[in-house]
Amino acid sequence: MIGSVQRAMRLLESVAEHEYGAPAKQLARETGLALPTAYHLLRTLVHEGYLRRDKGMFFLGEAAERLSSSGAEQKRRSTVVDALAHWRDLIGVPVYYAQYRDGEIEVLCVSDSPGNPAVEEWADFRETGHAHAIGQCLLAQLDDESRRDHLDRYPVQSITPYTVRDGHSLLRRLERTARMGPVIERQEYALGTVCAAIPITVGNTAATMAISLPAHQADRLMAATQQLQEEIGRLMGSLAISISI
């Protein structure tokens, strides 16, 4: 163990317990450090941005706050990753999590297995949102202006014989989509694959959980989708907090 690192960490923990800051003497006393040692470590931590000093009081600095923010974000990510892995094993399908962020479709997490592999991204998911369940589900959650803006940037194009033919047809389909109902897509993005996506809207965030199956198992799709909906409902409280990963 490196003693100086341990002592510096104890000082950081002690400072974090004092919302209104603490002087060096108090911090030295609380951490059991000699005052000269505490002063030296405190000056170093201030220099590196982990602490800041104001009128003789020490507070957490920007570097420490960034670490805290990153840790919270990792925890939120972990909640979603763990949920997807659980559903993958429970339902026996690959599970996907995606959001619509800054005008783009972003698949943020995929949980699959050798026995149930995910769909290969042979055409960029961002550019082919009209053709897959994830994209259609996200587009259905947008307002009309945002939806048309997306399709202006990424026009509808047929990538399989089953893909929707034009933008007008897609818009009519999206308008008919039940607000919180699943979106089903059969071989529109990848031949031999059927998919379903479930909308998740928290505040202004458009998100979705989705699954895929080989086309020869298409008879499982609706039951698997319903099971996923039920599972999402059970965890929706913690997922709502974690949805902005």
Side-chain angles (χ1 to χ4, degrees), residues 59-80:
F59 303 82
L60 290 179
E62 290 184 2
E65 291 170 355
R66 285 196 300 270
L67 283 177
S68 176
S69 176
S70 296
E73 182 176 347
Q74 287 182 354
K75 186 174 181 179
R76 292 195 300 270
R77 286 182 178 272
S78 179
T79 298
V80 174

mmCIF file of all heavy atoms in Angstrom, residues 59-80:
data_model
loop_
_atom_site.group_PDB
_atom_site.id
_atom_site.type_symbol
_atom_site.label_atom_id
_atom_site.label_comp_id
_atom_site.label_asym_id
_atom_site.label_seq_id
_atom_site.Cartn_x
_atom_site.Cartn_y
_atom_site.Cartn_z
ATOM 1 N N PHE A 59 -12.650 22.757 0.594
ATOM 2 C CA PHE A 59 -13.856 22.199 -0.011
ATOM 3 C C PHE A 59 -13.445 21.257 -1.138
ATOM 4 O O PHE A 59 -12.327 21.353 -1.656
ATOM 5 C CB PHE A 59 -14.737 23.312 -0.605
ATOM 6 C CG PHE A 59 -15.142 24.372 0.362
ATOM 7 C CD1 PHE A 59 -14.277 25.428 0.670
ATOM 8 C CD2 PHE A 59 -16.393 24.335 0.959
ATOM 9 C CE1 PHE A 59 -14.663 26.422 1.558
ATOM 10 C CE2 PHE A 59 -16.781 25.339 1.848
ATOM 11 C CZ PHE A 59 -15.911 26.378 2.147
ATOM 12 N N LEU A 60 -14.364 20.377 -1.545
ATOM 13 C CA LEU A 60 -14.101 19.543 -2.712
ATOM 14 C C LEU A 60 -13.956 20.422 -3.949
ATOM 15 O O LEU A 60 -14.724 21.367 -4.147
ATOM 16 C CB LEU A 60 -15.224 18.530 -2.934
ATOM 17 C CG LEU A 60 -15.339 17.402 -1.906
ATOM 18 C CD1 LEU A 60 -16.517 16.497 -2.266
ATOM 19 C CD2 LEU A 60 -14.059 16.584 -1.797
ATOM 20 N N GLY A 61 -12.968 20.101 -4.806
ATOM 21 C CA GLY A 61 -12.727 20.861 -6.013
ATOM 22 C C GLY A 61 -13.409 20.259 -7.227
ATOM 23 O O GLY A 61 -14.091 19.221 -7.143
ATOM 24 N N GLU A 62 -13.190 20.895 -8.366
ATOM 25 C CA GLU A 62 -13.855 20.461 -9.598
ATOM 26 C C GLU A 62 -13.456 19.047 -9.999
ATOM 27 O O GLU A 62 -14.279 18.279 -10.496
ATOM 28 C CB GLU A 62 -13.531 21.432 -10.729
ATOM 29 C CG GLU A 62 -14.182 22.801 -10.567
ATOM 30 C CD GLU A 62 -13.914 23.700 -11.760
ATOM 31 O OE1 GLU A 62 -13.263 23.230 -12.715
ATOM 32 O OE2 GLU A 62 -14.359 24.861 -11.742
ATOM 33 N N ALA A 63 -12.190 18.671 -9.798
ATOM 34 C CA ALA A 63 -11.743 17.326 -10.189
ATOM 35 C C ALA A 63 -12.471 16.263 -9.386
ATOM 36 O O ALA A 63 -12.881 15.225 -9.925
ATOM 37 C CB ALA A 63 -10.230 17.201 -10.008
ATOM 38 N N ALA A 64 -12.653 16.495 -8.081
ATOM 39 C CA ALA A 64 -13.376 15.533 -7.248
ATOM 40 C C ALA A 64 -14.838 15.458 -7.649
ATOM 41 O O ALA A 64 -15.444 14.374 -7.664
ATOM 42 C CB ALA A 64 -13.245 15.919 -5.779
ATOM 43 N N GLU A 65 -15.424 16.615 -7.988
ATOM 44 C CA GLU A 65 -16.828 16.625 -8.405
ATOM 45 C C GLU A 65 -17.016 15.897 -9.727
ATOM 46 O O GLU A 65 -18.036 15.233 -9.936
ATOM 47 C CB GLU A 65 -17.319 18.061 -8.492
ATOM 48 C CG GLU A 65 -17.428 18.733 -7.116
ATOM 49 C CD GLU A 65 -17.685 20.224 -7.201
ATOM 50 O OE1 GLU A 65 -17.689 20.752 -8.335
ATOM 51 O OE2 GLU A 65 -17.872 20.852 -6.152
ATOM 52 N N ARG A 66 -16.023 15.996 -10.628
ATOM 53 C CA ARG A 66 -16.109 15.240 -11.887
ATOM 54 C C ARG A 66 -16.079 13.745 -11.627
ATOM 55 O O ARG A 66 -16.793 12.970 -12.262
ATOM 56 C CB ARG A 66 -14.983 15.640 -12.829
ATOM 57 C CG ARG A 66 -15.165 17.000 -13.488
ATOM 58 C CD ARG A 66 -14.237 17.161 -14.674
ATOM 59 N NE ARG A 66 -12.837 17.062 -14.296
ATOM 60 C CZ ARG A 66 -12.081 18.092 -13.921
ATOM 61 N NH1 ARG A 66 -12.609 19.300 -13.859
ATOM 62 N NH2 ARG A 66 -10.813 17.926 -13.608
ATOM 63 N N LEU A 67 -15.222 13.340 -10.671
ATOM 64 C CA LEU A 67 -15.172 11.919 -10.314
ATOM 65 C C LEU A 67 -16.512 11.453 -9.775
ATOM 66 O O LEU A 67 -17.003 10.374 -10.124
ATOM 67 C CB LEU A 67 -14.085 11.676 -9.262
ATOM 68 C CG LEU A 67 -12.639 11.647 -9.739
ATOM 69 C CD1 LEU A 67 -11.710 11.478 -8.547
ATOM 70 C CD2 LEU A 67 -12.415 10.523 -10.734
ATOM 71 N N SER A 68 -17.127 12.274 -8.926
ATOM 72 C CA SER A 68 -18.415 11.916 -8.355
ATOM 73 C C SER A 68 -19.472 11.796 -9.436
ATOM 74 O O SER A 68 -20.277 10.848 -9.447
ATOM 75 C CB SER A 68 -18.828 12.972 -7.325
ATOM 76 O OG SER A 68 -20.115 12.695 -6.821
ATOM 77 N N SER A 69 -19.460 12.746 -10.385
ATOM 78 C CA SER A 69 -20.430 12.717 -11.476
ATOM 79 C C SER A 69 -20.233 11.488 -12.350
ATOM 80 O O SER A 69 -21.190 10.827 -12.739
ATOM 81 C CB SER A 69 -20.294 13.994 -12.310
ATOM 82 O OG SER A 69 -21.154 13.954 -13.424
ATOM 83 N N SER A 70 -18.959 11.172 -12.627
ATOM 84 C CA SER A 70 -18.666 9.993 -13.455
ATOM 85 C C SER A 70 -19.092 8.718 -12.748
ATOM 86 O O SER A 70 -19.609 7.785 -13.376
ATOM 87 C CB SER A 70 -17.173 9.946 -13.778
ATOM 88 O OG SER A 70 -16.789 11.055 -14.551
ATOM 89 N N GLY A 71 -18.889 8.668 -11.437
ATOM 90 C CA GLY A 71 -19.295 7.482 -10.683
ATOM 91 C C GLY A 71 -20.795 7.286 -10.710
ATOM 92 O O GLY A 71 -21.291 6.161 -10.858
ATOM 93 N N ALA A 72 -21.537 8.387 -10.577
ATOM 94 C CA ALA A 72 -23.000 8.293 -10.632
ATOM 95 C C ALA A 72 -23.461 7.826 -12.005
ATOM 96 O O ALA A 72 -24.385 7.018 -12.130
ATOM 97 C CB ALA A 72 -23.617 9.645 -10.283
ATOM 98 N N GLU A 73 -22.803 8.333 -13.057
ATOM 99 C CA GLU A 73 -23.165 7.925 -14.412
ATOM 100 C C GLU A 73 -22.886 6.445 -14.622
ATOM 101 O O GLU A 73 -23.688 5.725 -15.229
ATOM 102 C CB GLU A 73 -22.392 8.752 -15.434
ATOM 103 C CG GLU A 73 -22.749 8.428 -16.873
ATOM 104 C CD GLU A 73 -22.050 9.329 -17.872
ATOM 105 O OE1 GLU A 73 -21.486 10.351 -17.467
ATOM 106 O OE2 GLU A 73 -22.083 8.981 -19.064
ATOM 107 N N GLN A 74 -21.739 5.968 -14.126
ATOM 108 C CA GLN A 74 -21.423 4.547 -14.252
ATOM 109 C C GLN A 74 -22.446 3.692 -13.526
ATOM 110 O O GLN A 74 -22.817 2.610 -14.000
ATOM 111 C CB GLN A 74 -20.019 4.287 -13.711
ATOM 112 C CG GLN A 74 -18.907 4.798 -14.600
ATOM 113 C CD GLN A 74 -17.533 4.476 -14.038
ATOM 114 O OE1 GLN A 74 -17.393 3.961 -12.927
ATOM 115 N NE2 GLN A 74 -16.513 4.782 -14.809
ATOM 116 N N LYS A 75 -22.911 4.177 -12.366
ATOM 117 C CA LYS A 75 -23.918 3.424 -11.623
ATOM 118 C C LYS A 75 -25.215 3.342 -12.419
ATOM 119 O O LYS A 75 -25.866 2.293 -12.464
ATOM 120 C CB LYS A 75 -24.163 4.077 -10.263
ATOM 121 C CG LYS A 75 -25.097 3.273 -9.371
ATOM 122 C CD LYS A 75 -25.187 3.873 -7.994
ATOM 123 C CE LYS A 75 -26.102 3.035 -7.098
ATOM 124 N NZ LYS A 75 -26.190 3.601 -5.725
ATOM 125 N N ARG A 76 -25.598 4.465 -13.058
ATOM 126 C CA ARG A 76 -26.811 4.435 -13.882
ATOM 127 C C ARG A 76 -26.651 3.482 -15.053
ATOM 128 O O ARG A 76 -27.567 2.731 -15.394
ATOM 129 C CB ARG A 76 -27.130 5.847 -14.378
ATOM 130 C CG ARG A 76 -27.563 6.807 -13.286
ATOM 131 C CD ARG A 76 -28.214 8.052 -13.861
ATOM 132 N NE ARG A 76 -27.323 8.798 -14.736
ATOM 133 C CZ ARG A 76 -26.514 9.768 -14.335
ATOM 134 N NH1 ARG A 76 -26.450 10.085 -13.052
ATOM 135 N NH2 ARG A 76 -25.756 10.428 -15.203
ATOM 136 N N ARG A 77 -25.478 3.515 -15.686
ATOM 137 C CA ARG A 77 -25.219 2.588 -16.790
ATOM 138 C C ARG A 77 -25.314 1.140 -16.310
ATOM 139 O O ARG A 77 -25.887 0.279 -16.983
ATOM 140 C CB ARG A 77 -23.835 2.844 -17.383
ATOM 141 C CG ARG A 77 -23.743 4.098 -18.240
ATOM 142 C CD ARG A 77 -22.345 4.241 -18.810
ATOM 143 N NE ARG A 77 -22.250 5.403 -19.666
ATOM 144 C CZ ARG A 77 -22.532 5.408 -20.954
ATOM 145 N NH1 ARG A 77 -22.952 4.297 -21.528
ATOM 146 N NH2 ARG A 77 -22.414 6.504 -21.664
ATOM 147 N N SER A 78 -24.747 0.893 -15.155
ATOM 148 C CA SER A 78 -24.744 -0.470 -14.625
ATOM 149 C C SER A 78 -26.156 -0.980 -14.391
ATOM 150 O O SER A 78 -26.454 -2.161 -14.630
ATOM 151 C CB SER A 78 -23.940 -0.513 -13.318
ATOM 152 O OG SER A 78 -23.926 -1.809 -12.771
ATOM 153 N N THR A 79 -27.050 -0.102 -13.938
ATOM 154 C CA THR A 79 -28.441 -0.502 -13.717
ATOM 155 C C THR A 79 -29.073 -0.993 -15.011
ATOM 156 O O THR A 79 -29.735 -2.038 -15.041
ATOM 157 C CB THR A 79 -29.246 0.684 -13.163
ATOM 158 O OG1 THR A 79 -28.701 1.073 -11.903
ATOM 159 C CG2 THR A 79 -30.714 0.317 -12.990
ATOM 160 N N VAL A 80 -28.851 -0.271 -16.105
ATOM 161 C CA VAL A 80 -29.424 -0.657 -17.396
ATOM 162 C C VAL A 80 -28.753 -1.923 -17.925
ATOM 163 O O VAL A 80 -29.426 -2.845 -18.396
ATOM 164 C CB VAL A 80 -29.279 0.495 -18.407
ATOM 165 C CG1 VAL A 80 -29.750 0.049 -19.791
ATOM 166 C CG2 VAL A 80 -30.090 1.700 -17.954
#
